Amino acid sequence: MASDLANADVRLTVAQNFRTLASSTDEKDIIAALQTLLSFVNDGPGTTVTSAQRSEFNKAHYTRTLQFLVSNIQADWLKKLSGGQRAELWDSLFLKGPPEQTLLVLMEAIGELRPSGSLDRIVNITERFLQSGRLADLLWSYCLQTSLSDSAQLRETLLSRICALPDLTANKLHPNNRPLFSPQQYYPLLAKEMLTALERTCQALRDGTNCSLMFVAQTFGKVCIQGHSDAIMASMAPHLSACTFNDMVWQRVCWKLLENVPQRWMESVLTGLVQAVHGPDALGRIIGNLVLTNKTAQFVITHKVLLLQYKYKTQVLRTILSYLAADRDRRPLLIQVLRSLSQAWANPSAIKHTPVEQQFYVSKALLLSVSLLKDSELQDLRSELLQCMLGGMQSHLDSSVVRIRNMGMVVGECLSSRMDFGGIKLKFEYEQDEETRELLFLMNPDPCEESEPEPGIGVCSSEESDPSPQKESSQPKLKTDPDSELDSDDDLTPYDMSEDVKMSKASQPRYLRDCLEILLSSADPERVELSLIAAEGLVRKNSFAAKEISVQMTKVLLHMEDKYSIDGFLNLRQATMVALTVTDCLPVTQYLTSEFYSLNYSLRQRLDILEVLALAAQELSKPVAGDKTPLVNSVPSTEISPYPGDNPVHWRQVVEKRIQSKTKYISKGASQPAPKGTRSRYAAVAGYFFFPLLRNYDKPQVTFDLLGSDHLVLGRLIHTLGIFMHLAVNAPIAAQMGCALLDFIWTVRYHTDQMVRRGILFAVCSVFLSMPSHSLLVDLSDQLFETRTWLADVAESDPDADCRSLAVQSLVLLDESLKKQLQGSKQPSLDS
Amino acid sequence: MAHPAPSPIYCLRGAGAPLNTLHFCCRGTDTPLLFSGSAKGMIHMWNLNSRRPEKSFEAHGGSSILWVRTLQSKDALISQGRDMQVCMWDLRGGCGELVDSVFTGSFGFCQCSLIETDQTKSLLAFATQQSEEPDSGPGPLLLAGYEDGSLLLWDVTQRSKLSQVKAHPEPVMCLTFDPQRLRGISGSAEKKLSSWILDSQNNIQLQECVKLVNPGVSQLCIRADGKLLASAGWDHRVRIFGWKKLRPLAVLQYHSDMVLSVAFSDHLDPRQRLLAAGSKDQRISLWSIYNEGAATG
């Protein structure tokens, strides 16, 4: 009864004051009314308000009061108040009451008011509200659970207001937004306020008061899920890491905080945290054994971050896996993670269907977790790991992508050296590149694990080192070179050194038949090398002689092996075969294309055939060089000149070019004749290159199964066909070739090997490039629609980035070609 | 187009054996002289005006001569032969007269090295087991190349090793050093020359290599003005490089067998300077190369 009475009393006073404010014109009355209202919230000494009255006011009338003040913001009495009075009475009413109500009223006012002086006032107040640390008070009040007027709905609203304050203000105030409301400033501020609330919580726990972290945790989670985890974590993670370093209460508070984060926001909190935190120890201190108690956290940490998302840096992987390894209770999880990682790594389907980047990521995680295992654990897992290693390596080495093969080799090496099969280790030959080095490096223990910053200094002192001494020491080095410009060898003109060639006892053969003879029968490495070097030049020099024995020579070269490890053997052989094909086109192409599908050839030879045909087609399609310019290829040396850059011919050309570029020609006549149209030698024979290769692809043989396991050759074949197609632009036969090629690739368009798919898409591109657009419409009209759908599908969902971009490119080409054709056909019809 | 490589201005025949070593003596006399030592133990003294041998005598009992050098007093000649002797000859008579000899006890192919500190004193280094070459520094320092491909720098007075570096995988065949630039170069049986410098702490530091077309170098020589480097190649060719940047400048082809020795003459007038190459084909070729610009510079 007494409380009811008191409540009625408060209500009466408030109503009276409202009335005074609304109606009175006397300044003194107004000030008195405001002071009365303020006395309810002002917790100072000498106040006559009882605590029961105050809590009643805060519960029932504070929001009303504020709303009343906002709605009367344009009233005359407010204008009459002096600046000091206004700040003391009016502003204090906003800044001293329960902060959650203030915030809600303020945000509501900002949302409703039009741009005006009153909006500016409200914005000012909001700014001061944030600056004076009222957010921390707000969060802290929820920690203490003193807010009585608490409904789930209110909480939800408040939460969204706190988290979305930058958005709300930006929507309303743009372009006059305050810098404090920008996400760059607001979220660090919010993080600071959360830390203050946590600090107060710690203090309260030490004093024996119970607190609830639910609301702070909700705020934390909500901010993270809205995509601001970077900004929040950047200031929170170092601080938490430092505070938990030797304070158990802080650790407990952190654990509780993360436990209280709602499940649906857990993922974004954790991913943000593992990226921001420095080292596994700090992570362990902050989240404790959350992975064991919380299912979502476990799923995120042990599955999602490691296996599904592959965007994180290696350091994150290291942090997570070392965190799992650091505690006895968490170690089973590490084993479990290792199992799933090794399964994922060895999965042949994953190798085919996931992006290379993801496989690289999984490999890194696998190596890291293996390096963290103890020897005893390794013994238990040995058979599983071995199985994974052998199976996984096989499927990696089967891949046609170099990166994947390298990955398989490196991981295999590392695993075998870790498992230690009685001193036996795998050793592969691969080229060291950045990726393999990174993988190999992962087996070493973490270099920065020891160098975790000490608490206190980690937060704000990173720019103290003075870079100036380094600069000074590096400066004087510049002038130590004794050979200045004046003092050089440049005044000595070199003589012609082209005669300076390799000495050899035997002499080069002068006739192509001699070459053939030597290549067929000689066992003298030097003679074989010399004739191989001479062969290309001889073929090009005397085409009549070459035509007599072209097929025979091609056959010999095709079957030739590098018995004597001759320098540049493959290039020499290829160049000669290309020269033969160009010189005597029809018989040699017939021979090569028919041999491509015959028995008894190695994959290498089949690939050679394709390469030779492609290069020959390229050469044929180039305009014939005139007699005056010597054929570059006719110089029979593929050996790099021992003195590169000192070739006198080259030097002269450079100087002449320089002179030309500096000289202005006065006469404006055509100094260069327009390029003369020349007949493409390729157009006439394109069909001979192209069609025989399409003939037998679906007839598997004992040694060659193009559509089965030999997909390496298939990819290259399609790529080569694409080249033929591309070179046949403007040739009459291009339309037929295009139709045939599209038909052919349609059967293999969803091949599992990405190299094959790349080849296919390249071929499609070249079809769209080279086929005349009208025949594209006429001949392919029924296929075009399906092709488009397929390409769109590839562009969207192919795991390989190159395939996706190629598909997009071919779609663009197709559209352009069609557009050109449709516009071209429309115009004449309009005219007629 | 660049000019074709020059031909020799003349050549000296009649030595009758492969020419292992050459030494010019053109300073201060009217008749420039060239000394040569052959594989059959003959020392020839060629008059470069008449282009005829002025004196010739057999030394070292017919064993191959590895090295000849005159002392500053014109008439004294030191020669090293494969009979394990280093001999000093007096040339004032009609033919050489043996003055003194030292037994080295070394069967190697390593040449001696001579440093003349002043008018009266000179210091001779010969190998008891391996190969050497001198350097004029504050204290006499000696650079030696060894058959395992390493170069060693010795302090002669302290008898201590100052620095060691592995320059070649094959034996060091020859080396030469430019005291002005503190820079040297060495050749081996492989396809490259490697250059090196002495830093202020007397450490040998390897620098860039020069690639050759054909393997094997038997001698290297730097012209006195420090502009040219000549190499005697096993591929019958003499190669000329700019010494500062080791830029290849010319390939001199004349001989029909391995070139065994090269030497630049010490003419006072730079325009008269000569390059001599002695070969296994028993001829000495003389070349005039890059002399024209030298008059101004």
Side-chain angles (χ1 to χ4, degrees), chain A residues 586 589-590 592-594 596-597 610 613 617 682-699 706 717 720-725 728 731-744 767 771 779:
Chain A
L586 293 192
T589 39
Q590 263 165 10
L592 287 177
T593 48
S594 63
F596 181 74
Y597 284 111
L610 291 178
L613 287 172
Y682 174 68
V685 293
Y688 291 94
F689 280 84
F690 184 82
F691 289 109
L693 289 179
L694 285 181
R695 207 177 293 147
N696 291 319
Y697 68 90
D698 50 354
K699 289 183 192 146
L706 198 57
L717 170 67
T720 311
L721 290 172
I723 293 176
F724 293 156
M725 186 67 223
I733 205 169
Q736 277 171 287
M737 284 168 72
C739 294
L741 187 54
L742 274 191
D743 270 348
F744 172 51
V767 167
M771 255 178 101
D779 299 342

Side-chain angles (χ1 to χ4, degrees), chain A residues 254-268:
Chain A
C254 280
W255 298 351
K256 199 73 193 165
L257 174 74
L258 282 154
E259 268 173 39
N260 281 334
V261 172
Q263 300 291 320
R264 61 187 189 279
W265 297 332
M266 185 59 96
E267 181 187 339
S268 52

Side-chain angles (χ1 to χ4, degrees), chain A residues 70 80 82 142 189 195 224 233 267 277 325 358 393 456 459 496 510 583 620 659 682 700 713 745 753 787 801:
Chain A
V70 169
K80 280 184 199 155
S82 70
Y142 273 93
L189 176 86
L195 285 170
C224 286
M233 290 298 178
E267 181 187 339
V277 91
Q358 185 172 7
M393 257 167 43
V459 185
D496 178 22
R510 308 236 157 122
T583 316
L620 282 172
I659 292 172
Y682 174 68
V713 184
I745 50 191
D753 189 319
T787 312

Side-chain angles (χ1 to χ4, degrees), chain A residues 285-301:
Chain A
R285 289 198 302 271
I286 294 173
I287 71 174
N289 277 339
L290 187 71
V291 280
L292 299 174
T293 52
N294 188 315
K295 281 282 167 233
T296 318
Q298 188 177 36
F299 178 72
V300 169
I301 292 279

Side-chain angles (χ1 to χ4, degrees), chain A residues 357-508:
Chain A
E357 290 75 24
Q358 185 172 7
Q359 297 178 35
F360 183 56
Y361 187 81
V362 170
S363 307
K364 284 197 284 192
L366 177 64
L367 288 186
L368 275 174
S369 49
V370 169
S371 70
L372 288 168
L373 281 189
K374 287 188 196 122
D375 287 340
S376 57
E377 291 164 330
L378 207 61
Q379 281 303 322
D380 299 341
L381 282 170
R382 210 180 141 118
S383 61
E384 266 175 80
L385 269 179
L386 186 64
Q387 218 167 9
C388 142
M389 185 183 101
L390 296 177
M393 257 167 43
Q394 188 190 353
S395 27
H396 273 84
L397 291 177
D398 271 349
S399 166
S400 51
V401 184
V402 182
R403 277 172 79 189
I404 294 180
R405 285 204 298 271
N406 279 350
M407 238 180 270
M409 291 191 268
V410 175
V411 173
E413 265 183 24
C414 294
L415 287 183
S416 75
S417 74
R418 185 73 184 85
M419 285 197 281
D420 186 29
F421 304 107
I424 304 166
K425 280 183 197 170
L426 285 176
K427 184 76 198 150
F428 292 103
E429 281 178 15
Y430 48 86
E431 260 180 50
Q432 291 257 342
D433 57 9
E434 210 165 296
E435 260 182 20
T436 53
R437 266 192 293 271
E438 187 179 351
L439 284 178
L440 286 172
F441 184 71
L442 291 178
M443 292 304 280
N444 306 328
D446 187 3
C448 45
E449 210 165 353
E450 291 84 23
S451 64
E452 191 185 343
E454 281 295 301
I457 61 157
V459 185
C460 59
S461 67
S462 56
E463 288 174 58
E464 277 175 25
S465 63
D466 189 7
S468 58
Q470 285 178 352
K471 262 188 194 166
E472 279 166 26
S473 65
S474 67
Q475 212 72 359
K477 265 201 166 182
L478 291 172
K479 290 201 173 176
T480 50
D481 189 16
D483 292 330
S484 61
E485 285 283 307
L486 290 171
D487 188 33
S488 67
D489 300 332
D490 288 344
D491 52 335
L492 307 173
T493 337
Y495 287 97
D496 178 22
M497 283 178 290
S498 55
E499 296 289 297
D500 189 21
V501 290
K502 264 187 128 174
M503 289 233 318
S504 51
K505 288 181 191 110
S507 61
Q508 284 196 346

Side-chain angles (χ1 to χ4, degrees), chain A residues 489 492-493 495-496 500, chain B residues 3 214 239 245 247 249 290:
Chain A
D489 300 332
L492 307 173
T493 337
Y495 287 97
D496 178 22
D500 189 21
Chain B
H3 298 286
N214 292 305
R239 275 162 227 278
K245 289 182 179 168
R247 194 162 68 118
L249 294 173
Y290 293 114

Side-chain angles (χ1 to χ4, degrees), chain A residues 74-118:
Chain A
Q74 289 287 20
D76 292 338
W77 53 264
L78 192 59
K79 298 275 175 338
K80 280 184 199 155
L81 296 180
S82 70
Q85 283 169 329
R86 209 184 295 172
E88 187 194 329
L89 299 170
W90 202 86
D91 293 3
S92 302
L93 265 171
F94 281 91
L95 297 176
K96 296 225 163 111
E100 69 279 3
Q101 298 182 34
T102 316
L103 185 72
L104 287 175
V105 171
L106 285 173
M107 295 318 291
E108 191 188 10
I110 288 180
E112 279 171 0
L113 286 173
R114 314 297 308 166
S116 60
S118 21

